Amino acid sequence: MRSGAPRTSQPVVPAKRAPNADGSEREGDRIAKLLARAGIASRREVERMIEEGRVKIGDEVVTTPATLLTSLKGVSVDGKMVGPIAAPRLFRFHKPAGLITAERDPTGRPTIYTALRNAMPKDAPRVMPVGRLDVNTEGLLLMTNDGELKRALELPSTGIPRTYRARTFGDITQARLEELMEGIEIDGVRYGPINANLERSANRNKWIELTLTEGKNREVRRVLEHLGLEVSRLLRTSYGPFELADLQRGSVEEIPQVMVERFRKTLKAK
C-alpha cells in the first residue's frame, strides 16, 4: 500500500453524530456509504476492505466504516486515490450461461467481466452486478457503478419483483404452481410467495414463468426441483421495471439517466 498519499484537512468524525458547540448535528456520511456511492464496491465489501486496513485518509488507516466525512478528498484504497462520486449509472447486460457472476474465479472459469470487457461503452465506469445469476442461468443482469443503488435494488425489503422463465421436464399442474403463492419451506429454508404460471407445454416439457421478490440463492431451481421438475434452462427476463426484451446475448445497453433517477425516487419512497 502506498504510504505517500496526501494528507487531508477534513476531520475524521466518529460514527456517533455528536453535536457541534451550537447544538447542531455534525454533517457528513459514513465513509463506507461514500465509497459505495463512488463505485469502489458494495457497502458490505467496503466494510471488509476497511477491516483489512486497505482504506486510508491521507496517511491514516481508517479503522471503522462508520467514520463520517463530507467528501472523499484524500481518501485512498489500496494506495490509489479515490475520485469524486459520479452520477449513478445502470446497465442492462444479457448474461450468457457459463459465466460466473464474480470479478474473478479461483479455478479460472470465465466470469461476467470476460464478456463485459468488450461489451461495455468506452466511457463506462467500474460496475458491479446487482444480485447474482448462477453459472447456468442466463438473462438480465443489471450492472451499476453505485454501491448504494446496488444495495437498494438487492434488499428484500424493497420488494422489487424479478421474473424468470424456466424450461422444465416433468409433470406439474397450474393448481400446484398456484400453491407457491403461499410460500414454501425446503430443507429448513423458507421461501416467500412466488407467482408461477404455465406458459406452454409439449408432453412433459413445459415453460413456466415465475415472479418473486426475495431472490435467495438458487431459489427458482430449488423450488422447481422440489416440485419434481428438471430445469434444463433458466432465463431472467426482468428486474423491477427493467426488462431483457430483445437485448442480444452478451450485449450491454445503458438505461437512460432519467429512468434511473425516476426509479431511485420510487426506492426512496419505499
Side-chain angles (χ1 to χ4, degrees):
M1 185 179 295
R2 189 173 66 190
S3 60
R7 292 182 179 274
T8 176
S9 60
Q10 65 173 318
V12 179
V13 184
K16 186 177 180 181
R17 293 181 182 265
N20 292 313
D22 60 1
S24 62
E25 191 177 73
R26 282 179 175 168
E27 297 181 353
D29 288 306
R30 292 181 175 221
I31 189 171
K33 178 179 180 179
L34 291 176
L35 287 172
R37 287 291 313 277
I40 298 301
S42 68
R43 193 188 296 192
R44 184 175 298 177
E45 290 166 342
V46 168
E47 291 174 353
R48 190 177 302 116
M49 289 176 174
I50 291 172
E51 289 176 2
E52 294 170 353
R54 298 164 58 189
V55 179
K56 285 185 176 183
I57 302 174
D59 293 331
E60 182 180 353
V61 175
V62 177
T63 58
T64 170
T67 300
L68 294 179
L69 299 176
T70 56
S71 77
L72 290 172
K73 183 179 180 180
V75 177
S76 63
V77 178
D78 294 333
K80 297 180 180 179
M81 299 304 297
V82 177
I85 296 174
R89 296 173 68 180
L90 192 63
F91 300 83
R92 294 188 303 136
F93 171 48
H94 187 158
K95 174 193 173 295
L99 297 181
I100 306 294
T101 306
E103 191 162 352
R104 61 185 64 85
D105 181 68
T107 63
R109 292 177 296 177
T111 74
I112 56 171
Y113 291 94
T114 306
L116 287 169
R117 193 172 297 121
N118 296 320
M120 292 291 286
K122 293 188 181 302
D123 68 338
R126 178 189 180 277
V127 291
M128 302 164 282
V130 175
R132 292 179 179 273
L133 291 178
D134 66 47
V135 63
N136 294 317
T137 301
E138 57 192 292
L140 180 64
L141 184 63
L142 297 178
M143 307 292 299
T144 182
N145 65 325
D146 191 312
E148 284 299 292
L149 178 58
K150 166 183 163 70
R151 180 172 177 271
L153 282 162
E154 292 174 341
L155 284 174
S157 58
T158 56
I160 297 173
R162 297 95 151 148
T163 299
Y164 298 79
R165 293 183 69 231
R167 185 173 65 194
T168 66
F169 178 79
D171 296 317
I172 194 70
T173 64
Q174 181 60 39
R176 182 72 178 97
L177 290 175
E178 288 176 0
E179 293 176 4
L180 295 176
M181 284 299 295
E182 303 300 321
I184 188 171
E185 185 170 318
I186 303 172
D187 297 331
V189 178
R190 183 70 186 176
Y191 298 99
I194 299 175
N195 184 0
N197 296 281
L198 280 170
E199 286 190 330
R200 62 177 186 268
S201 62
N203 299 320
R204 299 181 71 197
N205 293 292
K206 298 175 175 62
W207 277 97
I208 302 173
E209 183 183 74
L210 307 96
T211 300
L212 51 139
T213 58
E214 286 187 323
K216 289 188 173 77
N217 184 35
R218 297 178 60 84
E219 179 171 350
V220 174
R221 292 183 185 275
R222 289 178 189 271
V223 169
L224 293 178
E225 288 168 0
H226 180 75
L227 297 179
L229 299 172
E230 296 177 22
V231 180
S232 59
R233 188 180 178 192
L234 185 58
L235 176 79
R236 182 154 68 192
T237 58
S238 69
Y239 199 113
F242 309 113
E243 298 183 350
L244 181 65
D246 57 358
L247 186 66
Q248 295 298 305
R249 186 175 301 151
S251 297
V252 171
E253 184 176 279
E254 184 165 7
I255 296 168
Q257 192 68 31
V258 63
M259 291 183 63
V260 176
E261 287 304 320
R262 188 183 304 136
F263 183 64
R264 280 168 59 91
K265 289 178 182 178
T266 66
L267 291 175
K268 290 179 181 178
K270 290 181 181 181

